[in-house]
Amino acid sequence: MFKKNFFSGLIFFILFLFSSHVHAFDYGDPTPLEQLQLEVINRARLNPVAEALRFGIDLMEGVDPGAISTEPVQPLTMNAKLLMAARLHSLDMLEQNYFSHYDPFGVDPFQRIKDAGYTYVAAGENIALRASTGILDPDQTALLIHQDLFVDKDYPQRGHRVNILNPTFKEIGVGIEQGLFSQKDVSYPYSMMVTCDFATSSDTRPFILGVVYEDTDNDGFYDPWEGIQGVEITVLETGETHTTKSAGGYGFPVFPGSYTLKFAIDGLGSIEKTVSVGTQNVKLDIITNDITPKEACNLSLTVSTNHIRPGTWFSTFFKACESKDNYVAIILPDRSFYSLTEKNTLSQPNKLEKFTDHSKELLNIFWPGDDNLEASEELILGAIAVEPGKDPFNPDNWLDFELVNLIVTY
């Protein structure tokens, strides 16, 4: 297999602007490969020395004095506008067979970033290409491109590495496109073009960002197939909600302070994490392997008849969940309710009582009736199970529930 790499390409610019305007933010929806590229960039930013050791280089090799530091720098969040600018440039380079920060019309990355609707105070760009006549593994190629840019062999002042570790940047767009690339009359049908647009806007708020994933290969790091989409993230202090994107990533701006984030994950329940945010971005990843799944709970609830007559008994067959708080109640049309007690009697109105006798399955209930109910009105017999001590009125706490419709007859 013949393979040829091209990975020159660096540009960086800072423009000082002053504004107190707060911009609307959109994380965008990066592909799994684009999310992977962000994850390895942030890995490098959070531990530059370890990243250099990983690739067998001295971190300061070839770099101008003072250009980078051994200290961690803030992680970057994806930004939808930068993502669009980066994708369009990668696609344009592939389609028009060029490799440059300047398109054939002379448009530079700063203009492309502006055209995407992003107003920057600092911006920079890395571009990279791996091209081959043989099939490339997309995941490995994306990782190798990051290595190409970080090692930056023979590139003056190791400018790509400097961009990756620039503490000024807060946001990024990573655009990855694959397809045919031709150069000097040679065609490379298997090519991966990457554009990384780094930037900072005039909005000074820091970001909370991260990725939610299932570590299926137990390597302690995100892989493109591991991200979990649709995880609802609630900021408990403000009530605002966010959702992880298709590759599992998320990010949103906040004001400095302490925040508790609740991650609600289908099939696993929820987990809460607290972070303190100063002026710098904070990364908070959730690995679902660390979450204890909800214990299986299978309630069952049936009745001998769906028609109940005031002043009579009816039979209910109820299988409770072991070691859980179980509740059974008759719910009236106005949403008031009577809870079933241990003695098979009904509680006072709107008094919820736990049903802890898990050995009982046949429950005979006496229904005294209600003067406000007419014939053919529908009631609900409901049963729920929650973790011991949890609020039963919050549906998020329900491990299982069963509902049976009842009809009043006279």
Side-chain angles (χ1 to χ4, degrees), residues 284-359:
L284 176 61
D285 294 340
I286 299 296
I287 303 176
T288 59
N289 309 51
D290 300 333
I291 302 174
T292 303
K294 288 181 178 180
E295 185 179 336
C297 175
N298 295 304
L299 283 176
S300 61
L301 179 69
T302 58
V303 293
S304 57
T305 175
N306 293 90
H307 295 266
I308 59 172
R309 188 184 300 273
T312 61
W313 295 79
F314 68 97
S315 297
T316 297
F317 303 92
F318 173 58
K319 181 65 176 176
C321 290
E322 296 291 337
S323 69
K324 300 292 183 289
D325 289 348
N326 294 268
Y327 303 87
V328 181
I330 292 178
I331 306 166
L332 277 60
D334 64 1
R335 299 198 177 186
S336 63
F337 62 88
Y338 296 87
S339 192
L340 180 63
T341 71
E342 294 292 339
K343 298 179 180 180
N344 288 5
T345 59
L346 298 177
S347 68
Q348 296 297 313
N350 302 314
K351 181 182 179 182
L352 194 61
E353 294 191 19
K354 283 189 285 190
F355 195 88
T356 58
D357 188 351
H358 298 156
S359 63

Side-chain angles (χ1 to χ4, degrees), residues 9-12 61-64 67-68 125-126 149-152 154-166 169 198:
L10 156 78
I11 199 159
F12 172 63
E61 178 273 328
V63 177
D64 287 342
I68 60 175
E125 181 174 88
N126 286 350
L149 291 167
F150 191 88
V151 173
D152 225 5
D154 299 328
Y155 194 85
Q157 290 80 49
R158 308 298 182 258
H160 300 98
R161 190 190 313 162
V162 172
N163 258 0
I164 290 172
L165 299 179
N166 191 318
F169 298 137
F198 305 86

Side-chain angles (χ1 to χ4, degrees), residues 67-244:
I68 60 175
S69 166
T70 59
E71 295 299 313
V73 294
Q74 63 181 328
L76 305 174
T77 182
M78 197 70 76
N79 177 289
K81 294 175 181 178
L82 297 174
L83 177 62
M84 179 174 68
R87 281 178 174 172
L88 289 176
H89 189 55
S90 290
L91 182 61
D92 192 54
M93 287 191 289
L94 273 184
E95 289 183 341
Q96 301 201 60
N97 292 305
Y98 70 95
F99 184 71
S100 171
H101 292 291
Y102 298 85
D103 73 13
F105 299 97
V107 177
D108 65 23
F110 309 112
Q111 187 60 52
R112 293 196 306 271
I113 290 172
K114 288 180 182 177
D115 290 344
Y118 188 99
T119 302
Y120 62 84
V121 297
E125 181 174 88
N126 286 350
I127 58 175
L129 166 68
R130 276 188 171 251
S132 173
T133 56
I135 296 174
L136 296 174
D137 179 278
D139 302 349
Q140 288 302 314
T141 303
L143 292 173
L144 288 170
I145 282 177
H146 168 69
Q147 182 174 338
D148 292 341
L149 291 167
F150 191 88
V151 173
D152 225 5
K153 184 178 180 181
D154 299 328
Y155 194 85
Q157 290 80 49
R158 308 298 182 258
H160 300 98
R161 190 190 313 162
V162 172
N163 258 0
I164 290 172
L165 299 179
N166 191 318
T168 303
F169 298 137
K170 295 173 65 175
E171 300 173 75
I172 191 173
V174 178
I176 298 181
E177 296 293 340
Q178 300 178 73
L180 173 67
F181 184 79
S182 299
Q183 191 172 72
K184 297 181 180 179
D185 299 322
V186 179
S187 293
Y188 303 97
Y190 304 100
S191 302
M192 180 178 289
M193 188 77 74
V194 176
T195 300
C196 298
D197 285 333
F198 305 86
T200 300
S201 76
S202 56
D203 185 345
T204 60
R205 291 177 297 171
F207 291 84
I208 300 175
L209 61 109
V211 64
V212 180
Y213 67 100
E214 180 184 3
D215 191 14
T216 56
D217 57 2
N218 296 307
D219 65 351
F221 195 76
Y222 173 88
D223 292 301
W225 60 87
E226 295 178 335
I228 300 179
Q229 179 182 10
V231 176
E232 185 176 83
I233 306 166
T234 303
V235 183
L236 299 186
E237 288 75 11
T238 64
E240 66 180 281
T241 59
H242 306 273
T243 305
T244 57

